[in-house]
Amino acid sequence: MNFTRWSARLPGTQRRAARGTGSSVPAARGEYAQQREQPTPEAPEAEAPEAPEAAVPALEDFSVRELLGRLPGLVALAYGPEHRIAYVNEAYAAAFGPRTAGATVADTCPEAEELGLLPLMDQVLRSGKPRTVKSRRTRHGGSYTVTCLPVDSPTLKGGGVLVHAADVTDHAEAAERLRTSERRHRETAVTLQRSLLPQELEQPDDLRIAATYQPGGTDAAVGGDWYDVITLGAGRTALVIGDVMGRGVRAAAVMGQLRTAVRAYARLDLPPHEVLQLLDGLAAEIDASQIATCVYAIHDPNEGKLVYASAGHLPILVRDEDGTVRRAEDPTGPPLGTGGWLHTSGTIALPPGSTAVLYTDGLVERRREDIDEGVAALARALSGASGTPQVVCDRLLRALGVTADHDDDVAILVVQHPSREGADAELFHNAALDLLGGVEAAPRARAFASGVLSSWRFPVELRDLGVLATSELVGNSLQHGTPPMRLRLRRTDRRLIIEVTDGDEHLPRRRRAETEDEAGRGISIIATIASSWGSRRTPGGGKAVWCEFALRDQTPPSGPGRAGPR
């Protein structure tokens, strides 16, 4: 289509079409001549002049005083190095009162000192750059955000400063209410967290233990870090540390439920991996959205090692007496609450003179740094940390840079297996006897126990009770157990422990024996004469049945004496 020919018929387009030199096809000569001789009826005889556009007002047409006076913000203009007042608007006068022109800000504007404006105005005057301070509070309780701008005018000798203040009192009060609410929420979480942690750690006979919990700084929400020490009987001790991956009261509440469950499962005297297996299922039931890590370890003084299981937690570190630090390796399973995983137990040696450290990630995790680097830094700090367990806790916190403003919770559990010498060592003895079975096993066990207890210089009454307990435990094992059988006696500074192991996994239970029954009274006798008793399955198959007698007012034996087998 020839657009030029069609457009020539529209009003006001003839001359524009005639001037065009583009690529459009020209009209025929005859048609073009006809158009020149006879104008198109639609074309106007003359174009009407266009109406002039309205003039745009310039900023200079307005009065600066009128503009500043009507601003809702507070405006003041000062000039010269002494900051003399040239002008204040109505909002400023309403807020702080009228000001006398020519007076200095320092003499007549107390609000300037309260808001810290005088040094700011000096900086603006010297640098020629604007400065702002946010949410400054006056004596009367108002809060203002103030901006000082340099003013360069020939009429202001020495330059000037325009002060603009915005009243942010409502925002500041709302922010303060929010901070107060968050502070109370945090205090509630900290209180709940601390109340759910052990108020006093149990102290086993063979170990020295200390723990530290430090909540995150004021800007960090409280997490779910926790620890516990549980005496299992027969000299064995369970050590627990965990971390709920959450913040606030909710995480602390989940932590409390997990800690209570661990104590209940520990009373079953199960291996560490079985405790974590039970805890894994419970964690999913408590709150499927919360994930927790945990290490559960058992120390047996007869074995000199820690048997542990880990659910996604950081490795245990052990410092030997010479300063060498070892790290507990696998097995490590996924965190609690994930399900579908069979946990397994591992071991790490804890000989006399060594120190074990269990900790949460807040101690070693840093932003922009791999967590393995943090664990390595902790190992270096532990290698030089000596002293009591509480001293070691404090030194590790300082070495890792944990302060009151730390951005995460930190929990540390330090366990020392002290090496004993001299009179202190005389309070700790072990003696063991393998029992082959047969009718001579019980008399032999009684004679062995009597000789060992006499060599340990126990009073006659306690010695007789110990021999009786040995007889009942061995008799129970001979009747209901299977070989191999072993009798073990252990003396600490606070208790006498008697334990018998055999190859049968059936755990005894206390029951009421009838008058005509000839058997079934052994465990009842043990429960009556001993301070406590219990049983558990052993890792290699079989069971162990034990009882304890508390030692009261026992003093170290005098003289070398004759010690039983160790």
Side-chain angles (χ1 to χ4, degrees):
M1 178 183 292
N2 191 331
F3 181 75
T4 304
R5 294 179 60 186
W6 282 96
S7 63
R9 300 179 183 179
L10 299 177
T13 61
Q14 293 84 353
R15 283 172 293 181
R16 289 194 295 270
R19 288 195 300 267
T21 57
S23 61
S24 57
V25 180
R29 292 183 180 179
E31 184 180 354
Y32 181 72
Q34 184 180 2
Q35 288 178 358
R36 291 190 62 185
E37 295 175 358
Q38 186 175 358
T40 306
E42 289 84 355
E45 296 181 359
E47 292 184 357
E50 296 180 357
E53 295 181 0
V56 178
L59 186 61
E60 292 80 2
D61 298 335
F62 295 92
S63 168
V64 175
R65 178 179 291 271
E66 182 180 1
L67 288 176
L68 296 180
R70 294 186 178 183
L71 286 177
L74 286 63
V75 177
L77 178 62
Y79 64 93
E82 298 179 351
H83 305 305
R84 296 187 177 276
I85 298 173
Y87 168 80
V88 296
N89 70 348
E90 295 179 1
Y92 194 102
F96 300 121
R99 297 292 180 257
T100 304
T104 63
V105 172
D107 294 337
T108 60
C109 299
E111 69 278 357
E113 183 176 357
E114 296 171 7
L115 296 172
L117 298 185
L118 293 175
L120 197 68
M121 295 172 72
D122 289 337
Q123 294 176 17
V124 171
L125 206 59
R126 287 194 305 267
S127 65
K129 296 180 180 180
R131 294 286 187 272
T132 300
V133 292
K134 295 182 179 181
S135 194
R136 293 285 180 89
R137 197 175 185 85
T138 64
R139 182 182 59 187
H140 299 291
S143 296
Y144 299 88
T145 292
V146 185
T147 299
C148 295
L149 301 127
V151 177
D152 187 12
S153 173
T155 60
L156 296 177
K157 186 178 180 180
V161 177
L162 182 69
V163 179
H164 177 265
D167 189 343
V168 293
T169 303
D170 292 343
H171 297 81
E173 291 177 352
E176 181 60 29
R177 288 194 296 269
L178 179 60
R179 283 192 294 269
T180 301
S181 175
E182 291 177 345
R183 184 168 59 251
R184 290 175 178 171
H185 181 83
R186 184 179 183 279
E187 290 172 354
T188 301
V190 171
T191 302
L192 177 61
Q193 174 88 352
R194 291 192 181 279
S195 66
L196 293 174
L197 291 174
Q199 303 305 303
E200 185 175 351
L201 288 178
E202 298 181 25
Q203 294 294 331
D205 298 353
D206 297 272
L207 301 175
R208 296 172 184 165
I209 301 177
T212 294
Y213 169 73
Q214 179 170 312
T218 55
D219 294 334
V222 177
D225 294 17
W226 55 287
Y227 55 82
D228 208 350
V229 177
I230 309 166
T231 53
L232 302 177
R236 301 164 69 252
T237 306
L239 309 167
V240 195
I241 195 163
D243 185 4
V244 177
M245 303 301 181
R247 291 290 184 267
V249 175
R250 184 179 179 184
V254 172
M255 176 274 289
Q257 295 179 74
L258 291 179
R259 177 177 174 254
T260 302
V262 168
R263 294 192 70 88
Y265 294 147
R267 298 306 176 192
L268 301 176
D269 217 338
L270 300 172
H273 64 276
E274 293 189 21
V275 172
L276 289 192
Q277 206 70 50
L278 294 172
L279 205 61
D280 182 44
L282 179 65
E285 295 178 8
I286 292 175
D287 191 340
S289 64
Q290 293 278 10
I291 295 178
T293 64
C294 180
V295 167
Y296 183 89
I298 295 177
H299 173 258
D300 189 336
N302 298 310
E303 303 293 338
K305 62 184 179 182
L306 286 177
V307 181
Y308 68 91
S310 174
H313 205 79
L314 295 167
I316 302 172
L317 298 182
V318 174
R319 177 189 184 272
D320 291 327
E321 199 166 14
D322 60 358
T324 304
V325 176
R326 295 175 284 113
R327 179 187 301 194
E329 302 297 339
D330 290 337
T332 298
L336 300 175
T338 55
W341 182 267
L342 292 177
H343 292 273
T344 56
S345 296
T347 61
I348 185 169
L350 190 69
S354 60
T355 300
V357 176
L358 293 77
Y359 52 95
T360 57
D361 59 359
L363 181 64
V364 296
E365 191 173 30
R366 301 292 183 272
R367 292 191 179 97
R368 298 181 296 276
E369 185 176 299
D370 191 83
I371 196 169
D372 287 336
E373 297 179 10
V375 176
L378 175 61
R380 290 191 296 270
L382 178 60
S383 65
S386 58
T388 65
Q390 189 59 56
V391 170
V392 173
C393 283
D394 297 339
R395 289 183 175 178
L396 294 181
L397 287 175
R398 289 195 302 270
L400 274 294
V402 177
T403 63
D405 298 327
H406 196 58
D407 60 357
D408 196 4
D409 289 20
V410 174
I412 307 176
L413 184 64
V414 175
V415 181
Q416 288 185 346
H417 185 188
S419 56
R420 296 181 172 88
E421 298 177 354
D424 187 35
E426 288 298 316
L427 297 177
F428 292 82
H429 295 288
N430 283 324
L433 174 67
D434 291 325
L435 301 174
L436 302 178
V439 294
E440 75 282 356
R444 186 182 177 202
R446 286 194 294 268
F448 177 79
S450 178
V452 169
L453 298 180
S454 297
S455 70
W456 290 349
R457 299 195 176 185
F458 284 131
V460 175
E461 180 182 0
L462 181 58
R463 186 170 66 241
D464 292 344
L465 290 176
V467 172
L468 175 59
T470 300
S471 178
E472 295 297 335
L473 290 177
V474 170
N476 184 78
S477 180
L478 290 172
Q479 182 174 357
H480 302 288
T482 59
M485 291 179 286
R486 183 178 178 86
L487 168 65
R488 176 179 288 153
L489 287 83
R490 177 170 175 77
R491 180 229 166 96
T492 71
D493 59 342
R494 286 183 281 178
R495 70 197 77 227
L496 167 65
I497 303 167
I498 303 173
E499 183 179 72
V500 175
T501 60
D502 62 52
D504 184 75
E505 293 188 352
H506 177 73
L507 298 180
R509 59 185 180 87
R510 185 180 180 182
R511 63 184 182 88
R512 183 185 297 276
E514 301 297 334
T515 307
E516 62 275 8
D517 291 343
E518 297 182 359
R521 295 182 176 83
I523 296 299
S524 295
I525 293 174
I526 294 294
T528 302
I529 64 175
S531 302
S532 60
W533 75 279
S535 62
R536 71 179 187 279
R537 291 186 174 89
T538 53
K543 67 175 180 296
V545 186
W546 55 268
C547 66
E548 295 180 353
F549 294 89
L551 306 182
R552 299 180 179 88
D553 301 327
Q554 294 297 309
T555 57
S558 59
R562 184 176 66 85
R566 290 177 180 252

